[in-house]
Amino acid sequence: MTLSPTRPSAIGTPVARVEGPLKVTGTARYAVEYPVENVVYAWVVRSPVARGTLTNVETPEGADVLTTLWHANAPKLGEADDPELRVLQSPTISYRGQVVALVVAKTLEAARGAALSVELSIEEQEHDVLLTPDHPGLYTPEKVNPAFPSDTSAGDVEAALADAAATVDVTYETPALHNNPMEPHATTALWVGDDLVLYDSNQGPSAIGSQVAKIFELDASQVHVVAEHVGGGFGSKGSARPNAILAAMAARVVGYPVRLALPRQALFTMVGHRTPTIQRVRLGASSDGVLTAIAHDVVEHTSQLFEFAEQTAVVTRHMYAAPHRQTSHKLARLDVPTPRWMRAPGEAPGMVALECAIDELAASLGMDPIELRVRNEPTVEPEDGTPFSSRHYVECLRVGASRFGWETRPLQPRQRREGRWWVGTGVAGATYPSMVMPSTATVRIDPTRKVEVTVAAVDIGTGSRTVLHQIAADSLGVPLENVTVRIGDSSLPKASIAGGSSGSASWGWAVDGACRALREQLATMTGPVPAEGLSASFDTTPDVKTRENAGKHAFGAHFAEVRVDADTGEVRVSRLFGQYAVGRVLNPSTARSQFIGGMTMGMGMALHEESVLDVATGDWVNHDLAEYHVPAHADVEEIDAAWLDEEDLSVNPLGAKGIGEIGIVGSPAAIVNAIWHATGVRVRDLPVRLDKLLTAPAF
Ligand code: MOS
């Protein structure tokens, strides 16, 4: 039997999500929905102070209460790369909302009730949660995430700015933000002898398995992580979170399986947030709009426990040509929870400042903001001269402008009034690195040409499971319905996390490689596939390691039309359009939903989302979905995405660059720029709320 790849017949077509019926019928199981016998429930007790020492825990009594764990009685844990995972090990309180005790009871109600009546004795200390541009604790981290230099510079920025015909010197601020996946961080943990089984909501069963094994001093093979369906993550589930450790610890102590789903309020302290940023951008240009200097200097925070250095200014290293340039990052360690990944960490907040500053420069030059960008398009990486593998940013701007209807736009702001609304449009660029990470897949075929793909990938709602079906079907030349894909389980071949927009590219490459290996095996055989089937595996590690990552990015351009109520300052986004160049699009249906989902999240960043840290108490005061506002359907009027025909085989053999995050990069800036165009008011601290517009003299 021989199999040959077909001309792509599944890849590139809008295949509906294979797990869609399971999800809409409620059959898909999430972390705390697995039927497990004798399961008991845990509820977290969190610190009511931002800094201090826990001296005693008065534990509640109750017929159904099994135990209350705190640092005096909790089992000792091993080392962890992430200190936030060493839960209940120390009396030191590093931020408000840190877990200080865990109540385990026979029912959820008993656990929750007892947790509310736990009495904590705490020696409270002075805390500091306020990030300021001149905070005395500011320091330069050794690197920013994941391993970029903190500072870069070339030429003489100060001299170039002094000589420039036009300059911009602006400071943009973005607030702390919180990921709010529909499914909270949640775990069901059970011990089978010395082996641990975790049904856990996460973005990488292989990685979470290794992290948990290390902290419980187990062999990685002793930890089995299942994450078959995951209700969103956005980065906040990219590494093990305290819920997994707490549930496993509690299950060991009480001898029953334990369920722990964090309540929404706890998500605001226990699993990370996007750091607030204070970003100064300075631009210098000739009178015809050629940039001579770009400086992007960032101040942000991290926690006392762990240095998380968001790479906010790194994106500016790739966007525009200019001989004199610098980027820098400074951090303050505050008494706050550790910031973490949130969709396009770095690029999303960084491009707010850069792309709004570019718009400000265009306005001061009297130039069209698209023309200004096109004029400063680099031919190679602006900082080190690396060639781009493919870069179609200018095409995105041009094609997008024509599809959006940009040409009749007046240069001046505050020109278009429709009834009570000021109307304006804005543009901003988008980019995101094209990454791949090592993964292994196994593919098996039986005599009836039924194919089973196994890889410890995970589908956090992106459609990645569906895309893997498409890749296997085309690579083996079998119909889509012949393919079964098993993912979301650490006992499957090891795979990378669903992060860095690299999932489909990384896992898809492994699946494609395994299919190739299977074809080669079949080609050497005479006779049919043996009754027990045939299988082949492929590990991309050596290939991934030899591929150079530099110069590889996806690009895009975002266009927004807004209406601003002339009396109330209410902002409505009437149109949002993204034009992308992201390599080969494997599934236009799931891709579109990633793009418009990212753009909508960007709208939240521009207009709605803001985690307010109360300086007196150190608490995120708006820690639920009643007060932390995310866009609802009514906020999203016309929204659409399109992409250029691009394929970049230098990124991976599929030619796909990754699409999960680029939608949120630049879409907030396009909206903020459109608000200026509508009203003539520049709001430089996000979100743009009506109170900021109404108090602006120009409004
Ligand atoms: Mo994304 S923040 O890389 O999960």
Side-chain angles (χ1 to χ4, degrees):
M1 174 174 168
T2 58
L3 283 173
S4 35
T6 43
R7 269 187 314 109
S9 55
I11 293 176
T13 62
V15 177
R17 281 161 207 267
V18 294
E19 77 283 9
L22 291 180
K23 285 183 172 168
V24 298
T25 55
T27 324
R29 286 203 176 108
Y30 294 84
V32 290
E33 297 178 341
Y34 283 83
V36 174
E37 283 193 12
N38 297 321
V39 73
V40 300
Y41 298 84
W43 198 271
V44 288
V45 179
R46 294 179 300 127
S47 170
V49 308
R51 188 183 179 114
T53 304
L54 179 66
T55 56
N56 192 43
V57 173
E58 212 52 64
T59 61
E61 306 279 322
D64 285 336
V65 176
L66 296 168
T67 188
T68 299
L69 298 175
W70 58 296
H71 70 83
N73 65 0
K76 294 294 160 253
L77 295 170
E79 291 302 306
D81 302 327
D82 175 357
E84 291 266 13
L85 297 181
R86 301 196 77 252
V87 285
L88 311 183
Q89 301 295 292
S90 153
T92 305
I93 293 166
S94 301
Y95 56 87
R96 183 171 168 130
Q98 185 175 5
V99 62
V100 290
L102 186 77
V103 178
V104 189
K106 288 186 189 159
T107 66
L108 182 64
E109 294 73 18
R112 185 182 182 188
L116 289 171
S117 64
V118 164
E119 282 177 36
L120 306 172
S121 304
I122 295 171
E123 285 165 10
E124 190 175 354
Q125 287 151 7
E126 292 276 304
H127 63 256
D128 176 13
V129 299
L130 184 63
L131 181 67
T132 56
D134 51 359
H135 193 282
L138 286 176
Y139 71 99
T140 301
E142 261 179 40
K143 59 178 179 58
V144 291
N145 295 337
F148 293 112
S150 291
D151 298 353
T152 58
S153 70
D156 187 340
V157 164
E158 305 300 333
L161 287 169
D163 285 349
T167 57
V168 158
D169 181 351
V170 284
T171 298
Y172 276 81
E173 297 192 22
T174 59
L177 299 171
H178 277 86
N179 280 312
N180 273 287
M182 292 286 280
E183 183 194 22
H185 295 64
T187 310
T188 302
L190 56 141
W191 290 86
V192 182
D194 285 334
D195 292 355
L196 175 62
V197 180
L198 295 175
Y199 299 97
D200 182 67
S201 185
N202 66 64
Q203 293 176 228
S206 300
I208 274 70
S210 315
Q211 278 188 298
V212 172
K214 184 173 179 189
I215 204 161
F216 285 100
E217 297 173 327
L218 300 170
D219 189 79
S221 65
Q222 289 175 268
V223 180
H224 182 189
V225 179
V226 180
E228 199 183 348
H229 299 287
V230 176
F234 312 107
S236 69
K237 296 174 182 169
S239 56
R241 300 286 77 222
N243 49 289
I245 312 302
L246 290 165
M249 179 192 264
R252 180 164 257 183
V253 170
V254 300
Y256 297 110
V258 169
R259 254 179 207 154
L260 172 59
L262 295 184
R264 181 65 51 183
Q265 289 80 0
L267 297 192
F268 278 77
T269 64
M270 285 180 58
V271 299
H273 59 274
R274 196 198 290 281
T275 177
T277 69
I278 303 168
Q279 307 179 51
R280 183 180 185 196
V281 174
R282 287 173 295 162
L283 303 172
S286 67
S287 55
D288 54 357
V290 176
L291 284 166
T292 52
I294 304 174
H296 190 171
D297 300 294
V298 178
V299 168
E300 52 200 19
H301 78 203
T302 189
S303 72
Q304 302 289 359
L305 283 174
F306 188 63
E307 182 183 275
F308 181 95
E310 177 125 330
Q311 67 273 36
T312 307
V314 167
V315 69
T316 296
R317 299 174 187 169
H318 308 290
M319 282 307 288
Y320 302 109
H324 305 281
R325 49 199 310 130
Q326 76 175 45
T327 58
S328 76
H329 299 82
K330 284 193 164 52
L331 288 181
R333 274 194 189 267
L334 302 178
D335 302 310
V336 295
T338 307
R340 298 275 164 191
W341 301 309
M342 182 168 179
R343 206 172 196 173
E347 291 82 9
M351 284 288 267
V352 168
L354 178 66
E355 289 298 288
C356 289
I358 290 280
D359 201 67
E360 297 206 42
L361 179 65
S364 77
L365 287 164
M367 260 183 91
D368 178 82
I370 292 179
E371 290 313 313
L372 176 62
R373 287 175 170 85
V374 170
R375 199 154 297 182
N376 293 287
E377 174 70 355
T379 53
V380 292
E381 284 277 8
E383 287 211 345
D384 62 13
T386 305
F388 291 106
S389 64
S390 55
R391 178 173 169 126
H392 295 109
Y393 178 41
V394 169
E395 289 86 337
C396 287
L397 288 164
R398 296 268 192 235
V399 173
S402 130
R403 289 188 169 152
F404 180 78
W406 182 263
E407 53 288 339
T408 57
R409 176 188 190 261
L411 273 184
Q412 297 299 318
R414 216 175 164 85
Q415 298 294 306
R416 195 170 146 202
R417 180 76 183 258
E418 290 175 9
R420 57 192 287 172
W421 303 96
W422 289 110
V423 182
T425 54
V427 65
T431 188
Y432 193 80
S434 306
M435 287 186 272
V436 278
M437 298 195 269
S439 291
T440 302
T442 298
V443 177
R444 201 174 157 282
I445 191 162
D446 75 8
T448 67
R449 290 161 56 100
K450 289 264 190 306
V451 172
E452 186 189 57
V453 175
T454 50
V455 52
V458 64
D459 189 334
I460 61 172
T462 57
S464 57
R465 176 189 273 108
T466 306
V467 166
L468 297 179
H469 282 80
Q470 295 170 263
I471 292 167
D474 281 0
S475 188
L476 292 174
V478 300
L480 202 56
E481 55 275 17
N482 278 26
V483 180
T484 308
V485 174
R486 286 184 54 215
I487 59 171
D489 188 318
S490 66
S491 64
L492 302 173
K494 187 173 177 177
S496 56
I497 64 162
S501 300
S502 69
S504 291
S506 306
W507 314 322
W509 183 355
V511 169
D512 185 56
C515 291
R516 237 176 257 257
L518 190 61
R519 286 200 321 259
E520 283 163 17
Q521 213 175 312
L522 285 162
T524 64
M525 286 177 52
T526 51
V529 173
E532 69 275 17
L534 259 189
S535 68
S537 292
F538 187 72
D539 177 359
T540 65
T541 307
D543 291 337
V544 168
K545 292 210 162 128
T546 53
R547 283 200 188 211
E548 188 55 60
N549 240 345
K552 297 177 183 172
H553 313 268
F555 290 93
H558 288 119
F559 298 83
E561 180 187 80
V562 304
R563 305 193 308 275
V564 183
D565 188 299
D567 296 316
T568 68
E570 176 191 354
V571 179
R572 303 288 306 173
V573 178
S574 41
R575 288 196 292 143
L576 201 51
F577 176 66
Q579 175 69 52
Y580 302 96
V582 292
R584 190 173 176 201
V585 169
L586 302 171
N587 181 326
S589 171
T590 55
R592 181 176 183 278
S593 88
Q594 284 298 293
F595 291 134
I596 65 173
M599 290 157 67
T600 304
M601 209 163 162
M603 180 192 296
M605 209 171 156
L607 300 177
H608 310 293
E609 295 185 50
E610 174 176 25
S611 300
V612 180
L613 196 48
D614 177 52
V615 174
T617 61
D619 195 17
W620 302 108
V621 291
N622 54 340
H623 48 223
D624 56 42
L625 290 173
E627 295 182 272
Y628 182 92
H629 297 159
V630 296
H633 281 97
D635 294 306
V636 185
E637 298 187 15
E638 239 186 276
I639 186 166
D640 203 4
W643 45 91
L644 303 174
D645 225 353
E646 191 188 72
E647 183 179 79
D648 191 335
L649 294 170
S650 78
V651 178
N652 56 64
L654 300 168
K657 284 181 168 178
I659 54 178
E661 287 159 280
I662 192 167
I664 195 177
V665 181
S667 67
I671 293 168
V672 174
N673 291 338
I675 293 169
W676 166 78
H677 190 243
T679 63
V681 177
R682 292 275 179 197
V683 176
R684 299 192 183 91
D685 63 314
L686 266 49
V688 181
R689 289 193 315 252
L690 48 81
D691 55 308
K692 297 176 189 175
L693 287 166
L694 288 175
T695 54
F699 198 79

Coordinates of all heavy atoms in Angstrom, one line a residue, residues 233-292:
G233 N -7.3 30.8 27.8 CA -6.1 30.9 28.6 C -5.4 32.2 28.4 O -5.0 32.9 29.4
F234 N -5.1 32.5 27.1 CA -4.5 33.8 26.7 C -3.1 34.0 27.3 O -2.6 35.2 27.3 CB -5.4 35.0 27.1 CG -6.9 34.8 26.7 CD1 -7.8 34.5 27.7 CD2 -7.2 34.8 25.4 CE1 -9.2 34.3 27.3 CE2 -8.6 34.6 25.0 CZ -9.5 34.4 26.0
G235 N -2.5 33.0 27.8 CA -1.2 33.1 28.4 C -1.2 32.8 29.9 O -0.2 32.3 30.5
S236 N -2.4 33.1 30.6 CA -2.4 32.9 32.0 C -2.4 31.4 32.5 O -2.2 31.2 33.6 CB -3.7 33.6 32.6 OG -4.8 32.9 32.2
K237 N -2.5 30.5 31.5 CA -2.4 29.1 31.8 C -1.2 28.5 31.2 O -1.2 27.3 31.0 CB -3.7 28.4 31.4 CG -5.0 28.8 32.2 CD -6.3 28.2 31.7 CE -7.5 28.7 32.4 NZ -8.7 28.3 31.7
G238 N -0.3 29.3 30.8 CA 0.9 28.8 30.1 C 1.9 28.1 30.9 O 2.8 27.4 30.4
S239 N 1.8 28.2 32.2 CA 2.7 27.4 33.1 C 1.8 27.0 34.2 O 0.7 27.4 34.4 CB 3.9 28.3 33.6 OG 3.4 29.4 34.2
A240 N 2.3 26.0 35.1 CA 1.5 25.5 36.2 C 1.1 26.7 37.1 O 1.9 27.6 37.3 CB 2.2 24.5 37.0
R241 N -0.1 26.7 37.5 CA -0.6 27.8 38.4 C -0.8 27.2 39.8 O -1.0 26.0 39.9 CB -1.8 28.5 37.9 CG -1.7 29.2 36.5 CD -0.8 30.5 36.5 NE 0.6 30.2 36.6 CZ 1.4 30.9 37.3 NH1 1.0 31.9 38.1 NH2 2.7 30.6 37.4
P242 N -0.9 28.0 40.9 CA -1.0 27.5 42.2 C -2.2 26.5 42.4 O -2.1 25.6 43.3 CB -1.2 28.7 43.1 CG -0.6 29.8 42.3 CD -0.8 29.5 40.8
N243 N -3.3 26.6 41.6 CA -4.4 25.7 41.8 C -4.0 24.3 41.6 O -4.5 23.4 42.4 CB -5.5 26.1 40.9 CG -5.1 26.3 39.5 OD1 -4.4 27.3 39.2 ND2 -5.4 25.3 38.6
A244 N -3.1 24.0 40.7 CA -2.7 22.6 40.4 C -1.9 22.1 41.6 O -2.1 20.9 42.1 CB -1.8 22.5 39.2
I245 N -1.0 22.9 42.2 CA -0.2 22.4 43.3 C -1.1 22.2 44.6 O -0.9 21.2 45.3 CB 0.9 23.5 43.6 CG1 1.7 23.9 42.3 CG2 1.9 22.9 44.7 CD1 2.3 22.8 41.6
L246 N -2.0 23.2 44.8 CA -2.8 23.1 46.0 C -3.7 21.9 45.9 O -3.9 21.2 46.9 CB -3.7 24.4 46.0 CG -3.0 25.7 46.4 CD1 -3.9 26.9 46.1 CD2 -2.6 25.7 47.9
A247 N -4.3 21.6 44.8 CA -5.2 20.5 44.7 C -4.4 19.2 44.9 O -4.9 18.3 45.6 CB -5.9 20.5 43.3
A248 N -3.2 19.1 44.3 CA -2.4 17.9 44.4 C -2.0 17.7 45.9 O -2.0 16.6 46.4 CB -1.2 17.9 43.5
M249 N -1.6 18.8 46.5 CA -1.2 18.7 47.9 C -2.3 18.3 48.8 O -2.2 17.4 49.7 CB -0.7 20.1 48.3 CG -0.3 20.3 49.7 SD -0.1 22.1 50.1 CE 1.6 22.3 49.8
A250 N -3.5 18.9 48.6 CA -4.7 18.5 49.4 C -5.1 17.1 49.2 O -5.4 16.4 50.2 CB -5.8 19.5 49.1
A251 N -5.0 16.6 48.0 CA -5.4 15.2 47.7 C -4.5 14.3 48.4 O -4.9 13.2 48.9 CB -5.4 15.0 46.2
R252 N -3.2 14.6 48.5 CA -2.3 13.7 49.2 C -2.6 13.7 50.7 O -2.6 12.7 51.3 CB -0.9 14.2 49.0 CG 0.2 13.4 49.6 CD 1.6 13.6 49.1 NE 1.9 12.5 48.2 CZ 3.1 12.4 47.6 NH1 4.0 13.4 47.8 NH2 3.4 11.4 46.8
V253 N -2.9 14.9 51.2 CA -3.2 15.0 52.7 C -4.5 14.2 53.1 O -4.5 13.5 54.0 CB -3.2 16.4 53.2 CG1 -3.8 16.6 54.6 CG2 -1.9 17.1 53.0
V254 N -5.6 14.5 52.3 CA -6.9 13.9 52.8 C -7.1 12.5 52.3 O -8.0 11.8 52.7 CB -8.1 14.8 52.4 CG1 -7.9 16.2 53.1 CG2 -8.2 15.0 50.9
G255 N -6.3 12.1 51.2 CA -6.5 10.7 50.7 C -7.7 10.6 49.8 O -8.1 9.5 49.5
Y256 N -8.3 11.7 49.4 CA -9.4 11.6 48.4 C -9.0 12.5 47.2 O -8.2 13.5 47.4 CB -10.7 12.2 49.0 CG -11.3 11.5 50.1 CD1 -11.2 12.0 51.4 CD2 -11.8 10.2 50.0 CE1 -11.8 11.3 52.5 CE2 -12.4 9.5 51.0 CZ -12.3 10.1 52.3 OH -12.8 9.4 53.4
P257 N -9.6 12.3 46.1 CA -9.5 13.2 45.0 C -10.0 14.6 45.4 O -11.0 14.7 46.1 CB -10.3 12.6 43.8 CG -10.5 11.2 44.2 CD -10.5 11.1 45.7
V258 N -9.3 15.7 44.9 CA -9.7 17.0 45.3 C -10.0 17.9 44.1 O -9.3 17.8 43.1 CB -8.6 17.7 46.2 CG1 -8.9 19.2 46.4 CG2 -8.5 17.0 47.5
R259 N -11.1 18.6 44.2 CA -11.5 19.6 43.1 C -11.2 21.0 43.6 O -11.7 21.3 44.7 CB -12.9 19.4 42.8 CG -13.1 18.8 41.5 CD -14.6 18.5 41.1 NE -14.5 17.4 40.3 CZ -15.5 16.5 40.1 NH1 -16.7 16.7 40.7 NH2 -15.3 15.5 39.3
L260 N -10.6 21.8 42.8 CA -10.3 23.2 43.2 C -10.5 24.0 41.9 O -9.7 24.0 41.0 CB -8.9 23.4 43.7 CG -8.5 24.8 44.0 CD1 -9.4 25.6 44.9 CD2 -7.1 24.9 44.5
A261 N -11.6 24.8 41.9 CA -11.8 25.8 40.8 C -11.7 27.1 41.5 O -12.4 27.4 42.4 CB -13.2 25.6 40.2
L262 N -10.8 28.0 41.0 CA -10.6 29.3 41.6 C -11.8 30.1 41.3 O -12.3 30.2 40.1 CB -9.3 30.0 41.1 CG -8.0 29.3 41.4 CD1 -6.9 30.2 40.9 CD2 -7.9 29.1 42.9
P263 N -12.4 30.8 42.3 CA -13.4 31.8 42.0 C -12.9 32.9 41.2 O -11.7 33.2 41.2 CB -13.9 32.2 43.4 CG -12.8 31.9 44.3 CD -12.0 30.8 43.7
R264 N -13.8 33.6 40.4 CA -13.3 34.7 39.6 C -12.5 35.7 40.3 O -11.5 36.2 39.8 CB -14.6 35.3 39.0 CG -14.4 36.5 38.0 CD -13.7 36.1 36.7 NE -14.3 35.0 36.0 CZ -13.8 34.5 34.9 NH1 -12.8 35.0 34.3 NH2 -14.4 33.4 34.3
Q265 N -12.9 36.0 41.5 CA -12.1 37.0 42.3 C -10.7 36.6 42.5 O -9.8 37.4 42.5 CB -12.8 37.3 43.7 CG -14.1 38.0 43.6 CD -15.3 37.1 43.2 OE1 -15.1 35.9 43.0 NE2 -16.5 37.6 43.1
A266 N -10.5 35.3 42.7 CA -9.1 34.8 43.0 C -8.2 34.9 41.7 O -7.0 34.9 41.8 CB -9.1 33.4 43.6
L267 N -8.9 34.8 40.5 CA -8.1 34.9 39.3 C -7.4 36.3 39.3 O -6.4 36.4 38.6 CB -9.0 34.8 38.1 CG -9.8 33.5 37.8 CD1 -10.3 33.5 36.4 CD2 -8.9 32.3 38.0
F268 N -7.9 37.3 39.9 CA -7.3 38.6 39.9 C -6.0 38.7 40.7 O -5.3 39.6 40.6 CB -8.3 39.7 40.3 CG -9.2 40.1 39.2 CD1 -10.3 39.2 38.8 CD2 -9.0 41.2 38.5 CE1 -11.1 39.6 37.8 CE2 -9.8 41.6 37.4 CZ -10.9 40.7 37.1
T269 N -5.8 37.7 41.6 CA -4.5 37.8 42.4 C -3.6 36.5 42.2 O -2.4 36.7 42.3 CB -4.8 37.9 43.9 OG1 -5.5 36.7 44.4 CG2 -5.7 39.1 44.2
M270 N -4.2 35.4 41.9 CA -3.4 34.2 42.0 C -2.8 33.7 40.7 O -2.0 32.7 40.8 CB -4.3 33.0 42.6 CG -4.5 33.2 44.1 SD -5.5 31.9 44.8 CE -4.5 30.4 44.4
V271 N -3.2 34.2 39.6 CA -2.7 33.6 38.4 C -2.0 34.6 37.4 O -1.7 34.3 36.3 CB -3.8 32.9 37.6 CG1 -4.3 31.7 38.5 CG2 -4.9 33.8 37.2
G272 N -1.8 35.8 37.9 CA -1.1 36.8 37.1 C -2.0 37.9 36.4 O -3.2 37.8 36.4
H273 N -1.3 38.9 35.9 CA -1.9 40.0 35.2 C -0.9 40.6 34.3 O 0.3 40.3 34.3 CB -2.4 41.0 36.3 CG -1.2 41.6 37.0 ND1 -0.7 41.0 38.2 CD2 -0.4 42.7 36.8 CE1 0.3 41.7 38.7 NE2 0.5 42.7 37.9
R274 N -1.4 41.5 33.4 CA -0.5 42.2 32.5 C 0.0 43.4 33.3 O -0.8 44.2 33.8 CB -1.2 42.6 31.2 CG -0.2 43.1 30.1 CD -0.9 43.9 29.1 NE -1.8 43.2 28.2 CZ -1.5 42.5 27.1 NH1 -0.2 42.2 26.8 NH2 -2.4 41.9 26.4
T275 N 1.3 43.6 33.4 CA 1.9 44.7 34.1 C 1.3 46.1 33.6 O 1.2 46.2 32.4 CB 3.4 44.7 34.1 OG1 3.9 45.9 34.7 CG2 3.9 44.8 32.6
P276 N 1.1 47.0 34.5 CA 0.9 48.4 33.9 C 2.2 48.9 33.3 O 3.3 48.4 33.7 CB 0.5 49.2 35.2 CG 1.1 48.4 36.4 CD 1.1 47.0 35.9
T277 N 2.1 49.8 32.4 CA 3.3 50.4 31.8 C 3.2 51.9 31.7 O 2.1 52.4 31.6 CB 3.5 49.9 30.3 OG1 2.5 50.4 29.5 CG2 3.5 48.3 30.2
I278 N 4.4 52.5 31.8 CA 4.6 53.9 31.6 C 5.6 54.0 30.5 O 6.7 53.6 30.7 CB 5.0 54.7 32.9 CG1 4.0 54.4 34.0 CG2 5.2 56.2 32.6 CD1 4.6 54.9 35.4
Q279 N 5.2 54.5 29.3 CA 6.1 54.4 28.2 C 6.3 55.8 27.6 O 5.4 56.4 27.1 CB 5.5 53.5 27.1 CG 5.1 52.1 27.6 CD 4.5 51.3 26.5 OE1 5.0 51.2 25.4 NE2 3.3 50.8 26.7
R280 N 7.6 56.2 27.6 CA 7.9 57.4 26.9 C 8.5 57.1 25.5 O 9.4 56.3 25.4 CB 9.0 58.2 27.7 CG 9.4 59.5 27.1 CD 10.5 60.2 27.9 NE 10.7 61.5 27.4 CZ 11.8 62.2 27.7 NH1 12.7 61.7 28.5 NH2 12.0 63.4 27.2
V281 N 7.9 57.7 24.5 CA 8.3 57.5 23.1 C 8.8 58.9 22.6 O 8.0 59.8 22.7 CB 7.3 56.9 22.2 CG1 7.7 56.9 20.8 CG2 6.9 55.5 22.7
R282 N 10.0 58.9 22.0 CA 10.5 60.1 21.4 C 10.8 59.8 19.9 O 11.4 58.8 19.7 CB 11.7 60.7 22.1 CG 11.3 61.3 23.5 CD 12.5 61.7 24.2 NE 13.3 60.6 24.6 CZ 14.6 60.6 25.0 NH1 15.2 61.7 25.0 NH2 15.2 59.5 25.3
L283 N 10.3 60.6 19.0 CA 10.6 60.4 17.6 C 11.1 61.7 17.0 O 10.7 62.8 17.4 CB 9.3 60.1 16.9 CG 8.5 58.9 17.4 CD1 7.1 58.8 16.6 CD2 9.3 57.6 17.1
G284 N 12.1 61.6 16.2 CA 12.6 62.7 15.4 C 12.5 62.4 13.9 O 12.8 61.3 13.5
A285 N 12.2 63.4 13.1 CA 12.0 63.2 11.7 C 12.4 64.4 10.9 O 12.3 65.6 11.4 CB 10.6 62.8 11.3
S286 N 12.8 64.2 9.6 CA 12.9 65.3 8.7 C 11.6 65.9 8.4 O 10.5 65.2 8.6 CB 13.7 64.8 7.5 OG 12.8 63.9 6.8
S287 N 11.5 67.0 7.7 CA 10.2 67.6 7.4 C 9.5 66.8 6.4 O 8.2 66.9 6.3 CB 10.4 69.1 6.9 OG 11.3 69.0 5.8
D288 N 10.1 65.9 5.6 CA 9.4 65.1 4.7 C 9.1 63.7 5.4 O 8.7 62.8 4.7 CB 10.0 65.0 3.4 CG 11.5 64.5 3.5 OD1 12.0 64.4 4.6 OD2 12.1 64.3 2.4
G289 N 9.3 63.6 6.7 CA 8.8 62.4 7.4 C 9.7 61.2 7.4 O 9.3 60.1 7.6
V290 N 11.0 61.5 7.2 CA 12.0 60.4 7.3 C 12.5 60.3 8.8 O 13.0 61.3 9.2 CB 13.1 60.5 6.3 CG1 14.2 59.4 6.5 CG2 12.6 60.5 4.9
L291 N 12.2 59.3 9.5 CA 12.6 59.2 10.9 C 14.1 59.2 11.0 O 14.8 58.5 10.3 CB 12.1 57.9 11.5 CG 10.6 57.8 11.8 CD1 10.1 56.4 12.1 CD2 10.3 58.7 13.0
T292 N 14.6 60.0 11.9 CA 16.1 60.0 12.2 C 16.3 59.4 13.6 O 17.4 58.8 13.8 CB 16.6 61.4 12.2 OG1 15.8 62.3 13.1 CG2 16.6 62.0 10.8

